[in-house]
Amino acid sequence: MSAGKMHADEIDLDVDLVRGLLAEQFPQWADLPIRPFASSGTVNALFRLGDEMAVRLPRVEWGVEDVAKDHVWLPRLAPLLPVPIPTLLGQGTPGPDYPWPWSVYRWLEGENPLEDSLEDPRSLAADLAGFVAAFRAVDLPDGPPAYRGGPLSAVDASARSAIKDLHGMIDTDAATAAWDEALRVPDWSGPPVWVHADLLPGNLLVDRGRLSAVIDFATTGVGDPACDLIVAWSVLPAGVRDDFREALAADDAAWARGRGRALAIALIQLPYYQHTNPVMAANARYVIREVLADHARTGGQRSGTD
């Protein structure tokens, strides 16, 4: 893998390439300043375009289908959610030096929350609960399956393989016990609901401690509502986790599935990104610590398995 790349099949993207695409397809924007934007995102690259726009391009072929999905669903979801989400301004097409569709979006102000130093965690917990509740209430027909909307057993092999890879880095016995317990929780048996399914810090923007926007809807669709509970461990500290849970009236089984999903995501991310994406790896370590501490505190109680 080339230095600075996260994926073996990632292509090279730079300012000159972006400017060439704009000159060909959106000449009205081609003379604006273009700056690479440092991001912990793993599938798309961002370039700041002037002060009010962003160019977003897939880094890898397996992220290309998400472009069309965003173009279809983001405009429909936006008026139904309590905070801004990306607004599409231009639909780019493949060019001589770039093989895939790409997008121009309105720039959204804010900073990614730092999971261990939140300015106002209690207010953020309330904001996140409001966003999750609004997403669950979306009534749009023919929603695609959410990327993480199915049963936890679907990622069992990947999670266990990651635990082996993490030997010596984490408490693998505790991780295995927590994961085994999560798999014993009954699967969601209700109707699928709309979920974001990727509420990690890199997809959230905050301003003065409050949720100001949510981005990256590649995983969005319908499925188990518990998958949006992952934010309780990916962002929120233990002291406000129960507030978030109570605001969403999450029962024992849903809470346990959400915790298991958060653990699986972190276990799989850490060995893959430990050398190429320090922000993602640091959050994975945080989530693993928080889930295992939470699991140890409850001692398996209130898990939906007793």
Side-chain angles (χ1 to χ4, degrees):
M1 187 180 301
S2 301
K5 291 188 176 182
M6 291 176 282
H7 314 289
D9 52 351
E10 185 173 333
I11 66 173
D12 294 316
L13 298 170
D14 57 28
V15 168
D16 289 340
L17 183 146
V18 174
R19 193 173 299 284
L21 288 170
L22 289 168
E24 179 187 9
Q25 301 181 36
F26 300 103
Q28 70 274 27
W29 298 329
D31 293 331
L32 292 173
I34 303 171
R35 307 183 297 280
F37 184 76
S39 166
S40 61
T42 61
V43 179
N44 297 278
L46 286 178
F47 291 81
R48 188 83 182 259
L49 178 60
D51 293 327
E52 299 181 354
M53 291 179 284
V55 179
R56 189 169 185 259
L57 309 94
R59 302 173 182 269
V60 286
E61 186 172 11
W62 41 270
V64 172
E65 290 184 1
D66 299 337
V67 177
K69 179 181 175 182
D70 283 351
H71 294 175
V72 170
W73 291 107
L74 288 178
R76 303 182 190 184
L77 289 167
L80 306 177
L81 299 174
V83 296
I85 67 175
T87 299
L88 180 67
L89 301 177
Q91 299 183 31
T93 58
D97 299 314
Y98 185 74
W100 304 317
W102 50 283
S103 309
V104 180
Y105 287 101
R106 189 176 307 283
W107 183 258
L108 289 170
E109 295 291 347
E111 304 289 339
N112 297 135
L114 297 175
E115 58 271 11
D116 56 355
S117 57
L118 301 178
E119 182 177 340
D120 186 354
R122 196 166 302 279
S123 293
L124 182 59
D127 293 343
L128 288 166
F131 178 83
V132 171
F135 222 122
R136 292 179 178 180
V138 166
D139 185 18
L140 292 174
D142 303 320
Y147 177 65
R148 298 187 176 107
L152 288 176
S153 58
V155 295
D156 184 36
S158 297
R160 293 188 189 280
S161 176
I163 290 173
K164 291 180 181 179
D165 292 340
L166 291 168
H167 182 74
M169 296 177 60
I170 67 169
D171 184 340
T172 53
D173 289 340
T176 299
W179 180 242
D180 286 342
E181 181 180 301
L183 290 175
R184 291 194 292 269
V185 178
D187 293 337
W188 171 246
S189 59
V193 301
W194 275 90
V195 288
H196 181 278
D198 200 19
L199 293 179
L200 302 178
N203 296 330
L204 305 172
L205 298 178
V206 297
D207 178 29
R208 289 170 290 184
R210 305 299 299 267
L211 184 68
S212 61
V214 177
I215 60 176
D216 198 340
F217 285 68
T219 58
T220 292
V222 298
D224 179 1
C227 64
D228 274 348
L229 299 178
I230 64 172
V231 74
W233 295 272
S234 70
V235 174
L236 297 176
V240 300
R241 210 166 281 148
D242 282 345
D243 295 344
F244 175 78
R245 177 180 180 175
E246 290 169 10
L248 291 169
D251 62 21
D252 290 349
W255 195 244
R257 289 197 310 276
R259 186 171 69 182
R261 180 70 66 181
L263 178 62
I265 293 170
L267 290 171
I268 293 167
Q269 286 178 340
L270 182 51
Y272 189 88
Y273 292 114
Q274 60 177 318
H275 301 303
T276 60
N277 191 323
V279 174
M280 184 74 74
N283 184 251
R285 291 188 182 94
Y286 174 83
V287 172
I288 293 168
R289 288 196 305 269
E290 290 297 300
V291 169
L292 296 188
D294 197 19
H295 181 260
R297 279 195 299 269
T298 62
Q301 298 175 0
R302 296 173 63 193
S303 67
T305 63
D306 50 10

